[in-house]
């Protein structure tokens, strides 16, 4: 039975991933930053519904000491992590010329530094010495193409793509696979500030004339972390309904 850490698991995509991996019989570390109650509730549901071991853990992924403390907690319960899904992320729409230094630092800190912190620690603690492991990073289609009024978000997510490709080459001989998913427009809480007209326009821009669901991303994640994808590493999979 594999042990899986999913960062940002209290959110829409993260919680769908937690359920999808639990259905496959995996033990789940449900990470959150501030919404501990929601993470605890999800962990309880996973334990009761799928007969797996699930725990809630909290950390500010942009803070290495906080990440290390999270792994210490996981050590006590699981002993190791076999699969890391770097899903934590924040977004903001703002003109580039109006982005403050603090907003830039926070965006890069959570979306890119967080991937560095969680990934480096999981490699050092478990995966390299065990000569096995899977790391899945969640970027965005805007990391591939860039988005107007989301320059800091696009830059961070593009960095995640570059990290994925480079790291896969570095750790492949250690039996570790590293891949990346780039979701398109997915109906989560991040979409709550968009009006109905904008949402409909986004839907019409996709080749399938539909928007994604968290389950669409979760299904792709489970596949890339499974033995069915054992010959896949260093890849960037767009799950965007043909939007790009």
């Amino acid at each position: 039975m594999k042990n899986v850490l999913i960062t940002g698991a209290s959110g829409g995509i993260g919680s769908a991933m937690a359920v999808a991996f639990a259905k496959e019989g995996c033990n789940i570390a449900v990470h959150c930053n501030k919404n501990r109650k929601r993470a605890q509730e999800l962990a309880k549901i996973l334990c009761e519904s799928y007969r797996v071991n699930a725990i809630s853990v909290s950390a500010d992924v942009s803070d290495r000491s906080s990440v290390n403390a999270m792994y210490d907690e996981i050590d006590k319960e699981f002993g190791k992590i076999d699969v890391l899904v770097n899903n934590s992320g924040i977004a903001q729409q703002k003109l580039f010329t109006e982005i403050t230094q603090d907003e830039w630092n926070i965006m890069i800190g959570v979306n890119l530094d967080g991937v560095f912190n969680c990934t480096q620690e999981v490699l050092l603690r478990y995966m390299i010495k065990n000569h096995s492991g899977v790391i899945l990073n969640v970027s965005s289609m805007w990391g591939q193409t860039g988005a107007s009024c989301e320059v800091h978000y696009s830059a961070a997510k593009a960095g995640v793509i570059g990290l994925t490709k480079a790291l896969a080459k570095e750790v492949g001989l250690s039996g570790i696979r590293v891949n990346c998913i780039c979701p398109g427009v997915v109906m989560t809480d991040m979409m709550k500030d968009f009006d109905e007209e904008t949402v409909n326009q986004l839907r019409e821009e996709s080749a399938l004339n539909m928007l994604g669901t968290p389950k669409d991303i979760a299904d792709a994640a489970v596949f890339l972390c499974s033995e069915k994808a054992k010959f896949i590493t260093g890849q960037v999979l767009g799950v965007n309904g043909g939007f790009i």
Side-chain angles (χ1 to χ4, degrees):
M1 184 176 286
K2 291 184 177 180
N3 301 324
V4 182
L5 167 60
I6 303 172
T7 69
S10 61
I13 290 176
S15 59
M17 287 180 174
V19 169
F21 278 101
K23 284 182 176 179
E24 295 296 314
C26 298
N27 297 321
I28 312 294
V30 179
H31 162 267
C32 66
N33 183 12
K34 299 177 180 178
N35 201 343
R36 190 67 184 259
K37 182 179 179 181
R38 187 168 177 180
Q40 290 172 337
E41 290 172 349
L42 176 58
K44 182 179 179 181
I45 290 170
L46 298 178
C47 291
E48 294 175 349
S49 299
Y50 305 106
R51 299 291 188 264
V52 298
N53 188 4
I55 61 171
S56 64
V57 292
S58 61
D60 175 358
V61 295
S62 68
D63 182 330
R64 185 57 174 264
S65 62
S66 182
V67 168
N68 289 350
M70 173 185 69
Y71 277 115
D72 289 342
E73 190 174 349
I74 291 171
D75 280 342
K76 295 175 184 177
E77 188 68 32
F78 291 165
K80 66 170 183 174
I81 288 294
D82 303 295
V83 177
L84 167 65
V85 181
N86 284 306
N87 174 67
S88 285
I90 57 173
Q92 182 186 44
Q93 290 76 44
K94 199 168 188 180
L95 285 171
F96 177 71
T97 51
E98 295 179 359
I99 296 171
T100 67
Q101 186 68 57
D102 283 346
E103 288 171 336
W104 175 270
N105 291 341
I106 291 170
M107 186 68 67
I108 299 299
V110 174
N111 290 354
L112 184 54
D113 292 349
V115 175
F116 168 79
N117 290 331
C118 293
T119 300
Q120 189 177 66
E121 194 64 23
V122 83
L123 288 170
L124 291 170
R125 289 197 185 216
Y126 320 111
M127 293 185 178
I128 291 176
K129 69 179 181 181
N130 292 330
H131 208 74
S132 69
V134 179
I135 297 166
L136 180 65
N137 299 322
V138 179
S139 178
S140 166
M141 66 178 181
W142 302 133
Q144 295 174 291
T145 67
S148 173
C149 296
E150 293 187 68
V151 172
H152 48 349
Y153 178 79
S154 300
K157 290 300 189 179
V160 172
I161 292 172
L163 185 153
T164 299
K165 292 180 178 181
L167 185 60
K169 295 178 179 179
E170 187 170 321
V171 299
L173 290 179
S174 295
I176 301 162
R177 298 191 296 108
V178 188
N179 288 298
C180 181
I181 287 180
C182 289
V185 182
V186 180
M187 295 307 295
T188 66
D189 286 345
M190 282 191 177
M191 293 294 294
K192 65 184 179 181
D193 294 329
F194 290 83
D195 58 39
E196 184 177 355
E197 182 180 355
T198 301
V199 171
N200 288 334
Q201 288 176 347
L202 290 168
R203 180 183 293 108
E204 291 171 2
E205 287 184 45
S206 73
L208 296 176
N209 193 32
M210 60 187 292
L211 301 181
T213 68
K215 185 177 183 300
D216 294 323
I217 311 304
D219 288 343
V222 168
F223 166 71
L224 284 174
C225 295
S226 73
E227 284 301 304
K228 293 179 181 179
K230 65 183 177 63
F231 196 51
I232 300 175
T233 195
Q235 302 306 304
V236 180
L237 177 64
V239 187
N240 58 51
F243 195 98
I244 61 170

